[in-house]
Structures are given as structure tokens and as C-alpha cells.
Amino acid sequence: MRSLRSALVALALLMPVAAGAVQPEEVMKDPGLESRARSISAGLRCLVCQNQSIDDSDAPLARDLRLIVRERLRQGDSDNAVVDYVVQRYGEFVLLRPVVAWHTAVLWLTPVLVVGLGGLALWAAARRRRPAPPRALSAAEEAAVADLVRRVEPR
């Protein structure tokens, strides 16, 4: 019973998080259009918060962007046309998932290069730490060792 109560409390605390920042007056009457608007909004960055989608942000600019998305959908634009309109107006930075293109190659390749260079550095460090293989003693060194052993051995 106690775990059920704890689960219900945890669920109740998570409910506001799942609701997002969309205000009731923003919600479209057509569930299909609202679903499309939510899908588009989830992929657009809040230019104020920068780490949230406009669907999750309470910033006034995010609200304006949500309204623009809904207005464009009401006008009959496709999902891609709405995104293109917002990108044309605010730049590619508004996309939470950047496009894969030549001008974003550094953005996409930097993590691969960093991991690759880190792996190469680890490999080089591990290789440097290996002890050198033991070399054979020369005849003079063997004679000196034998002489030392004879001196130290009890008689």
C-alpha cells in the first residue's frame, strides 16, 4: 500500500512536466492540427531558453512561435512549409536537430574527431607504458653477476 501511495505521489508530481507550456487558449480545436502543431513545436528551439523546445518553454517568444506555427497550419501549410517559414525567419539555430549539410559538417564531425583523437591518444599512451623487453646480458655482465653470487653465497 505504501509503494502504491508513493507511486501515485510521484505520478502527480510528474504531471505538470508532461503538460508543457502550451496555454489552453493556444490549443487548436482540430485534434489533428493540434497534434501536427505539437510535433512541429517539439522540434523548434526556444531562442530565449536555447535548451528547450518552444513546446516546453514559457518564454513570450516561444509563445509567439507556437502561435505562428498554429496560424500557418490553419492557413493550410504543410509541416515542412511551416518549419521552412520559421527557419527562413529566425535562421537554422531555431532547429533543435540541426540539418546535415556541408555548412554544418563541423558540428556533426567534431564529436567523431574528438572521440577518435582521444582513442588515438589512449592507444599511444598505452603503447608508451609497455616495458621494454628484457635484453640478454653480455658475457662481461654474466661474469660480474656470477662473481657477486659467489661472494654472497654462504660457505
Side-chain angles (χ1 to χ4, degrees):
M1 188 67 172
R2 185 178 215 176
S3 62
L4 177 62
R5 213 172 342 155
S6 298
L8 288 175
V9 168
L11 185 62
L13 290 174
L14 290 175
M15 291 291 278
V17 173
V22 177
Q23 302 301 312
E25 65 271 5
E26 295 176 36
V27 176
M28 300 174 85
K29 292 180 182 175
D30 181 356
L33 284 179
E34 179 61 26
S35 174
R36 287 175 56 201
R38 291 289 180 112
S39 175
I40 294 168
S41 295
L44 297 175
R45 177 189 320 273
C46 172
L47 297 171
V48 176
C49 307
Q50 296 186 7
N51 63 343
Q52 288 182 316
S53 71
I54 62 171
D55 208 32
D56 298 327
S57 175
D58 286 327
L61 181 59
R63 182 180 189 282
D64 292 344
L65 285 170
R66 288 192 302 266
L67 293 175
I68 288 171
V69 166
R70 283 166 171 74
E71 181 58 34
R72 301 297 296 192
L73 288 174
R74 267 190 219 101
Q75 292 176 4
D77 286 359
S78 68
D79 293 2
N80 288 337
V82 173
V83 172
D84 290 344
Y85 176 80
V86 173
V87 168
Q88 180 183 7
R89 196 162 180 196
Y90 295 98
E92 285 185 2
F93 183 73
V94 78
L95 298 174
L96 276 173
R97 292 174 208 91
V99 295
V100 179
W102 285 109
H103 64 279
T104 59
V106 172
L107 176 70
W108 289 103
L109 295 177
T110 298
V112 174
L113 289 173
V114 167
V115 169
L117 290 174
L120 187 62
L122 288 174
W123 175 77
R127 189 170 170 182
R128 252 186 271 144
R129 288 185 180 211
R130 288 187 191 148
R135 62 177 180 86
L137 297 176
S138 67
E141 291 170 333
E142 283 186 23
V145 169
D147 186 46
L148 285 172
V149 169
R150 266 186 268 126
R151 285 189 208 166
V152 175
E153 283 183 348
R155 294 182 192 196

